[in-house]
Amino acid sequence: MRFLRRLFFILAIGAALLFLAIQIASGFLLKPILERQASRIFRVPVHINHAGANLLDASIWMKGVRIENASGFVQPDFFSARTIAVDFKLLSFLTQEFVISRVILKDPEFNIEIDQEGESNLAYFTGCASTQLWKWVGKKRKLLHPIGRYTLE
């Protein structure tokens, strides 16, 4: 009986330390990963001041987000926001579904323009995002659920 208590205690401490290590690592690793992936999706530089994850809430947050505008447009940025937070259904990662339960945008600013050739930067960015989304969905074969709640602040 004593052995089981010690084993349980050691496993509990190990799980807590692993959880803490992942939380701390997310603060260092998530920002460059998100910047790189967003830049790859939108084909323009993306800047994020800070990023992190909360494993208990199954959420990712980013502060100071800027997506530079595509070439040929006047405004320097297409999008900026003070904060973006995305909440997931944690158990959906174990199933054939991917559920985003909420998206929060604080102080979002979209600069939608039409260039000299009559093309919209909004059409450019939505085209980039939808192309990448369909590539991702096709590979993973997961169903995407619509976002249940979104908040603009």
Side-chain angles (χ1 to χ4, degrees):
M1 189 69 166
R2 241 180 176 179
F3 173 74
L4 290 176
R5 281 187 186 168
R6 284 187 180 164
L7 181 63
F8 177 75
F9 184 71
I10 290 171
L11 289 175
I13 289 176
L17 289 175
L18 179 64
F19 177 78
L20 184 63
I22 291 171
Q23 282 292 122
I24 291 170
S26 75
F28 296 108
L29 301 175
L30 200 54
K31 176 188 177 291
I33 291 170
L34 290 172
E35 283 179 330
R36 184 175 53 248
Q37 291 303 316
S39 295
R40 198 178 106 224
I41 290 169
F42 295 120
R43 298 181 211 131
V44 295
V46 175
H47 308 282
I48 301 170
N49 290 341
H50 304 287
N54 186 336
L55 296 178
L56 292 177
D57 293 340
S59 65
I60 294 175
W61 56 267
M62 297 163 273
K63 293 187 178 193
V65 179
R66 285 187 324 111
I67 300 174
E68 289 187 16
N69 216 342
S71 63
F73 294 98
V74 177
Q75 294 293 323
D77 295 331
F78 167 69
F79 172 79
S80 65
R82 184 169 45 101
T83 303
I84 299 174
V86 180
D87 296 343
F88 303 95
K89 297 284 185 184
L90 193 58
L91 294 178
S92 74
F93 289 107
L94 303 174
T95 66
Q96 291 298 314
E97 299 175 326
F98 181 71
V99 180
I100 298 173
S101 58
R102 182 173 64 164
V103 175
I104 298 172
L105 301 174
K106 291 186 180 178
D107 298 330
E109 183 178 316
F110 292 90
N111 294 312
I112 300 172
E113 302 179 59
I114 297 176
D115 67 5
Q116 300 284 349
E117 299 170 4
E119 298 293 323
S120 166
N121 61 349
L122 181 61
Y124 170 80
F125 285 105
T126 55
C128 291
S130 64
T131 299
Q132 192 63 34
L133 178 66
W134 288 117
K135 284 180 185 177
W136 183 75
V137 170
K139 287 181 182 176
K140 304 291 184 193
R141 300 216 184 274
K142 287 192 170 202
L143 297 173
L144 288 173
H145 281 264
I147 298 167
R149 291 181 2 193
Y150 61 92
T151 306
L152 296 176
E153 295 181 8

